[in-house]
Amino acid sequence: MVERDRVSVRRIVRGGLIAVLASWTLVLVLHEIPIGGVWLPIEASTSTLLICWPLVFAFAYLTAPARNILVQDAIQNAGAHNALSKTVAITAAIGALGALLVIFEFAYLRGYGFSASAAQIRMEEVSNNMKGLNVASPISGIGRLMIPAILPALIVAAANFGKLNGAARVILLVCLLILLFEQVAFDGGRTFLAASFLTTVVAFLIGRDRSDFNVRKTVSRPPYLRFAVTGAALMYFFLSVFISRVYDGGGFLWSHYRTFSQDFRIFVGTDVIARFDGFFGPFWYAVSMLWLYITQGINELDTLLISQDIPRSLGLYQFPQISPILQIVFGTEVTYDFIRILPNAGTYLTIYGANFLDFGHIGAFMSAALLGYLTARSIGFFASLRLNGLAICGPMLLTIALFSPVISILGTLAPAFFWAFGFAVIMKAQTPIMPSEPSAARTGRRAQSL
């Protein structure tokens, strides 16, 4: 049985807070470095809010109770190993089935086939949305709710890979390939892929079972190499998307960057545009675009806060799934016209801006406190080698916090929370009931609790 002492768990939990604060620091520093231009100054009140949000998060994080967490491995026998493998396979298959539903919707029902690029599909869909031609589809809607089921499978597999049987590993890999194909070929989005990758890495770092490493040396080193290779491949894909969108439209890098940056409060000098010429021009263009995406939230939040009479979206900004669900189930159309209402729709607003738009300043700070508390609590459970629903949510909550200085991905990962608790229920239903332990043994382990 693998055990972790309370000092190790506390170190892991505090490490999560350090990572979040480092993420905020990195984004704020990058904002001041003129990689793709020079951002215009923001209001002092906006700067204050950007400092206060992580401080409130940190305070709630540090005050979250960590006692009564048993530091022991929840997967101790062959029966539990078998249940773990089956549950990983089931939830991964649910996610892959959701991806197949989305593929069926766009490839066949909407007639895009497999030859249209994701950029073309995205442009067509956006145009139809603006014209009011798109109708909420239950097929793709259900599929998008099913896709995040693969996240709990990735989280648990990353922390317990040595306990999975060969069939579960193959099923997980096949399902991942199906999901990757759907995301690249039809969605073209990068947020879910980036969030899934970061969540998996976080789960591996804080929940990995080192006993597997001692038994199998082949398991100890390759995960780091695989993560590095996967991360490099994703980064290449993310950067190449910026370039391909320009070339697919028959445009030029310098003209596209000038046009795109005009929507922001940023000064782009000729020195920046000059980098886009020559052999390394596409590279500098992609880096500048990535920098623009990472740092835009600060100035866009400032623009949002100084705008007058912007109504609250009451959750529709971060959870746009609510509108089509209400329309499908109740026939009630509840919409929030982001294009008309927001000063610059489609840009990042930091997590503060997202929560402010939904519920105002009070809601934004309450979200910081709630996210900080739940993140610390769930990371504590996951680091203590538990596999309940809250523990499985831990890596996802920490990922949301790591993205918070750029964008709120709460809406992207929200369905995965449901599947995390579903994972725990499915696994518990398949785990054989073991004889009760003597009270003395339970008492001894309770003494190890935090």
Side-chain angles (χ1 to χ4, degrees):
M1 179 174 62
V2 180
E3 293 187 354
R4 284 180 173 170
D5 57 63
R6 57 186 179 183
V7 175
S8 298
V9 173
R10 286 175 177 170
R11 186 183 299 115
I12 292 173
V13 174
R14 290 174 183 173
L17 177 58
I18 293 173
V20 173
L21 296 179
S23 175
W24 275 85
T25 302
L26 176 62
V27 172
L28 293 174
V29 170
L30 283 175
H31 182 267
E32 302 304 315
I33 300 176
I35 295 176
V38 178
W39 289 106
L40 300 183
I42 62 176
E43 297 289 333
S45 57
T46 304
S47 299
T48 302
L49 294 174
L50 288 172
I51 294 174
C52 289
W53 194 94
L55 291 179
V56 173
F57 174 91
F59 178 79
Y61 193 102
L62 292 173
T63 56
R67 59 183 180 275
N68 298 328
I69 298 178
L70 294 179
V71 187
Q72 62 176 22
D73 191 356
I75 311 169
Q76 305 172 20
N77 53 69
H81 288 194
N82 188 45
L84 177 76
S85 297
K86 288 182 179 179
T87 309
V88 167
I90 290 172
T91 50
I94 292 173
L97 178 59
L100 291 174
L101 288 176
V102 175
I103 293 173
F104 177 76
E105 166 80 20
F106 284 89
Y108 296 102
L109 296 185
R110 302 199 184 189
Y112 290 110
F114 293 93
S115 58
S117 66
Q120 293 173 325
I121 295 175
R122 178 182 288 257
M123 291 175 60
E124 185 71 21
E125 290 297 305
V126 170
S127 176
N128 289 339
N129 282 329
M130 295 179 66
K131 297 175 183 178
L133 298 179
N134 275 349
V135 179
S137 169
I139 296 178
S140 60
I142 294 173
R144 295 189 188 283
L145 292 176
M146 294 172 63
I147 286 175
I150 203 168
L151 269 175
L154 287 173
I155 290 170
V156 176
N160 302 275
F161 192 77
K163 297 184 178 72
L164 299 180
N165 58 37
R169 296 180 187 181
V170 171
I171 292 173
L172 179 60
L173 176 60
V174 172
C175 293
L176 276 174
L177 292 176
I178 294 174
L179 176 62
L180 183 62
F181 173 75
E182 182 273 328
Q183 290 287 306
V184 173
F186 293 92
D187 275 341
R190 290 151 291 180
T191 303
F192 182 76
L193 290 179
S196 299
F197 175 71
L198 184 57
T199 298
T200 304
V201 173
V202 168
F204 173 77
L205 292 177
I206 68 178
R208 64 190 186 276
D209 183 352
R210 292 185 178 276
S211 67
D212 292 330
F213 301 171
N214 296 331
V215 175
R216 302 181 181 183
K217 292 184 178 180
T218 58
V219 179
S220 60
R221 293 181 181 177
Y224 296 101
L225 179 60
R226 287 197 291 267
F227 283 135
V229 172
T230 303
L234 285 176
M235 181 58 67
Y236 175 81
F237 168 68
F238 296 161
L239 296 178
S240 65
V241 168
F242 292 125
I243 302 171
S244 62
R245 286 180 179 176
V246 178
Y247 289 155
D248 288 346
F252 298 95
L253 298 179
W254 66 269
S255 60
H256 185 272
Y257 192 81
R258 276 201 179 278
T259 303
F260 187 78
S261 61
Q262 284 176 356
D263 293 332
F264 301 98
R265 296 166 57 197
I266 187 174
F267 171 76
V268 179
T270 56
D271 57 327
V272 174
I273 299 300
R275 298 194 196 113
F276 304 154
D277 291 328
F279 181 78
F280 292 102
F283 170 78
W284 283 115
Y285 170 81
V287 169
S288 298
M289 287 293 292
L290 181 63
W291 173 85
L292 194 63
Y293 270 68
I294 292 175
T295 58
Q296 66 179 268
I298 296 174
N299 279 71
E300 289 305 299
L301 172 62
D302 187 58
T303 302
L304 175 68
L305 294 177
I306 62 179
S307 301
Q308 300 296 323
D309 301 326
I310 293 183
R312 303 284 78 81
S313 55
L314 301 178
L316 290 178
Y317 181 78
Q318 295 185 84
F319 302 99
Q321 306 96 332
I322 295 176
S323 182
I325 290 176
L326 291 177
Q327 184 176 349
I328 293 172
V329 177
F330 301 104
T332 303
E333 186 175 1
V334 180
T335 60
Y336 188 86
D337 194 347
F338 301 106
I339 296 177
R340 182 183 62 85
I341 295 175
L342 296 184
N344 197 1
T347 56
Y348 298 166
L349 302 172
T350 75
I351 197 170
Y352 188 96
N355 285 289
F356 167 77
L357 190 58
D358 275 338
F359 305 111
H361 288 295
I362 295 178
F365 280 112
M366 289 181 63
S367 74
L370 183 61
L371 180 61
Y373 179 91
L374 290 178
T375 302
R377 190 66 172 151
S378 58
I379 288 297
F381 275 111
F382 195 76
S384 299
L385 308 178
R386 312 309 297 170
L387 281 183
N388 55 40
L390 183 59
I392 298 173
C393 288
M396 292 186 288
L397 288 170
L398 184 56
T399 299
I400 291 173
L402 291 171
F403 271 87
S404 61
V406 178
I407 185 177
S408 172
I409 60 170
L410 180 59
T412 302
L413 298 185
F417 296 139
F418 166 81
W419 292 112
F421 285 90
F423 186 103
V425 171
I426 295 173
M427 182 171 174
K428 185 176 181 181
Q430 297 185 80
T431 303
I433 300 176
M434 303 301 295
S436 300
E437 298 177 278
S439 58
R442 290 198 301 270
T443 303
R445 263 202 311 277
R446 178 64 63 181
Q448 299 175 11
S449 63
L450 300 180

